[in-house]
Amino acid sequence: MRTIIVGGVAGGMSAATRLRRLDEARDIVVFERGPYVSYANCGLPYYVGGVIRDRSSLLLQTPQSLASRFRLDVRTGHEVLDADAARRTVTVLDLASGETSTEGYDELILAVGASAREAAGHPGIPTHTLRTVEDVDAIGRLVDAAADNASALVVGGGFIGLEAVENLVRRGLHVTLVQRGPHLLSPLDPEMVAPLEARLRGHGVEVRTGVTIDTVDDGVVLLDDGSALRPDFIVDASGVVPSVDLAQTAGVALGPTGGIAVDARNRTSDPHIYAVGDGVEKVDALSGQEALVTMAGLANRHGRSVADVIAGHDERNTPALGTAIVSVFDSVAAKVGWSERQLVSAGREHRVIHTHPTSHATYYPGAQPMSMKLLVDPASDAILGAQIVGGEGVDKRIDVIAVAMAGGITASALARLELAYAPQFGSAKDPVNQLGYVADNLRAGTTSAIQWHELDATLAAGATLVDVRSAGEHAAGAIPGAVNIPVDELRARLAELPAGPVVVHCQVGQRGHTAARILAQLGYGVVNLDGGYRTWAAGAAIREREAVAA
């Protein structure tokens, strides 16, 4: 039996090595167009920034090492031009010699990944993506040759774009970041991203949202807001699209997203052709519909699973949650599942929870703040998504929530998870447990809350806003129109509250909850402003900027 794999790196090489472990007799051939078949593409930005100093550490395997350990026939510098599904053959071009050959297969695995959304190349300005070893070599040469006052333009404020920005700044460049959408990291909601944007600006990055490149001519970049930039080079991180040309030559079906359609066993519409990686549709865990989820973990996992299927095992993919994480200087942002924006767009009922805990017990030195957002189905209490921004401890909290979602643990049940605790690692009431407490209070009707973007309408309808923080906190920054009655004085100052509904808020929501419970038990119609002043201020900053831009 002969299996041909087109494309290396995550999906292709995971499939090849797993298949060899399961079948010693099989003939396994891997064709890779580029010069490197196995490299740490997620580490590439950090090589540019000098965090990873040894270039060879990015090159995980070579054709020689793969042949020695796994008896794989790996041919770099070979491009598969087309596939004939009827004859079960592929046409291969040797890029060095220019010769073509026809290779037969019993199974064909397409692991060709995705391509840059927009073709790189602007007149008078060197432009590169940040996806391959060749890309980082080219960018590295530009950085090494740059003058002291050199500047770079990064197009795209997603995960790769932010990593590029951080590492270019680390190398001493002045960086402008241009993002088409209204805020960076579009998988997250605006109030969660605001602190990250502030952190970028604090490191000297010029963040330009809601703008795109209009024209590039003679070294000048003209943005569609009329402003002009003169960067020394451009890093194009504007996103990717599935690479499907080869699949189309084979006649396999594409799905509604434009990616290659596969079933739970990674089989395409042709029974002898399989596909894995960024160019392939996944099943969204929340909607059950096709989605493009370009994550290295999924590519590796599906590469392994397709090898199991070809070897005769009963293996099926699980739906994708889209768990992701990125660092931005000394901040970390992570997400899993859907955002509030996605839920609103889909018309799906949801409940939102914001909390602002610390990474570990505050009495132990070094505790760092984090902002957490949980999205919950109000009918079933199922977790629909989560977002966390902070520093230390963000990674393990998002992973706990991702496991909870995969295991069907409800939002309220997060309160009952027994998580490792010592003061240098967490709190006796872990931040994940705290999300569960809030979720349980909302589910049971113990308290009611509104979101930061609902406050204006609630006040316009006649509610009174009461700030239950201290007088000093109120003086340092307040929501317009708020009456300041500290929570410890609330019972004694009830006469100052006008008749009608009341919205209470504190800094992060906890004292607001206490105030809401006091007033509710005294007969007031009261809701707590979810996430408190901190969440409101973050959201208001984004909203104000959007209004100015409009």
Side-chain angles (χ1 to χ4, degrees), residues 156-163 177 179 181-190 192-194 196-197 200 209 324-328 332-335 339 341 387-389:
F159 293 94
I160 302 301
L162 292 182
E163 291 174 345
L177 175 58
Q179 165 73 351
H183 62 79
L184 305 180
L185 283 182
S186 58
L188 276 66
D189 290 313
M192 302 301 291
V193 177
L196 295 176
E197 295 187 0
L200 285 164
T209 56
I325 190 167
V326 66
S327 66
V328 185
V332 180
K335 56 84 63 176
S339 66
R341 176 184 54 80
Q387 300 165 33
I388 311 177
V389 176

Side-chain angles (χ1 to χ4, degrees), residues 429-454:
K429 296 178 181 179
D430 189 85
V432 173
N433 297 136
Q434 293 177 39
L435 285 174
Y437 298 145
V438 178
D440 190 53
N441 282 332
L442 293 170
R443 179 189 60 83
T446 304
T447 192
S448 297
I450 63 170
Q451 294 305 307
W452 65 272
H453 52 77
E454 299 172 323

